[in-house]
Amino acid sequence: MSPSAGVTRNTLRQQIADALRDEVLAGRLPPGREFTVKQIAEQYGVSATPVREALFDLSAQGLLASDQHRGFQVREFTVADYRAMAEARALVVEGLFRNPAERVAVRPEGLASIRRRAAEAVRAAKGGDLDVLIGYDLRFWRELGQFVLNPYIADFLTRLRVQAWVFAVHRLRRDGMDENVLWFGHEELVEAIARGDREQVHAEMCSYYAHALAWADRLEAREAAGDGEQSTEGGAEGNADGPAGPGSAMPPQSPEPPGHCA
């Protein structure tokens, strides 16, 4: 984690928060890593105030844990946390689908950019480039989230997505990425949205949730057998989390509870 020359006094708080978030998502700040406001301020050569604000922002987003005596540390997410993230996304997205006219507005002019994000995310996943995958995947879901009319819901789903990648990155680097972990349905989901094919959107979302929960089951089995990395809770929403964020755009004709997708 080296100081960024791009940090300026205008937007120190946001730039420091963004830089630290990138370090966490890249796996360079592992779960449980502790640091203080003073240490970060010295690294970036800035005063303590914007650093403290940035760290509290990241704590509010669920990426850091704070302790009055020990400072801050990168939050450690468990498999149970990951499963809860997937279930929370499922419930929220299913709720959006119940009355789509009031909650979701697909803007065709935004689909071209989302298609590019989808293609790049899939290419990176198949090529094993985790850093590129995380970047494009987050952009993909953030842009799809703009179709959600309630900004609080969109923000909540985006935060879950980031947290899931924090869980994912260390396990993916440890275990590798393949079709058993990664969900490659970004492009299929976008095309179903573009066609207004509600049944196919639902099928793609079900594919994601089934993949995510199956992966969580395998992780739990490994840990129960003593073969998992039980002290490091930074696993992989990887693609198992693939597309299940803010975004499908057209709801299914007959919404089913998330359990039906598993």
Side-chain angles (χ1 to χ4, degrees), residues 35 55-56 58-60 63-75:
F35 46 84
L55 294 176
F56 278 122
L58 294 178
S59 297
L63 302 187
L64 303 181
S66 61
D67 182 277
Q68 183 177 359
H69 303 291
R70 296 164 58 187
F72 295 83
Q73 67 177 28
V74 179
R75 185 172 172 184

Side-chain angles (χ1 to χ4, degrees), residues 92-109:
V92 172
V93 172
E94 198 72 36
L96 290 172
F97 287 172
R98 285 179 190 146
N99 196 339
E102 295 180 4
R103 296 187 174 95
V104 180
V106 179
R107 294 186 295 279
E109 67 275 11

Side-chain angles (χ1 to χ4, degrees), residues 166-193:
V166 173
F167 170 80
V169 63
H170 297 283
R171 293 183 188 272
L172 287 174
R173 292 199 189 282
R174 182 194 69 192
D175 299 337
M177 302 187 296
D178 59 35
E179 64 276 7
N180 292 319
V181 175
L182 301 181
W183 189 86
F184 298 108
H186 296 70
E187 292 173 299
E188 288 80 0
L189 178 60
V190 175
E191 294 313 312
I193 291 169

Side-chain angles (χ1 to χ4, degrees), residues 143-165:
E143 291 186 22
L144 270 184
Q146 294 173 7
F147 293 161
V148 177
L149 297 177
N150 186 321
Y152 294 97
I153 292 175
D155 182 64
F156 173 71
L157 289 167
T158 297
R159 290 189 183 199
L160 282 179
R161 183 64 177 161
V162 173
Q163 290 175 9
W165 272 119

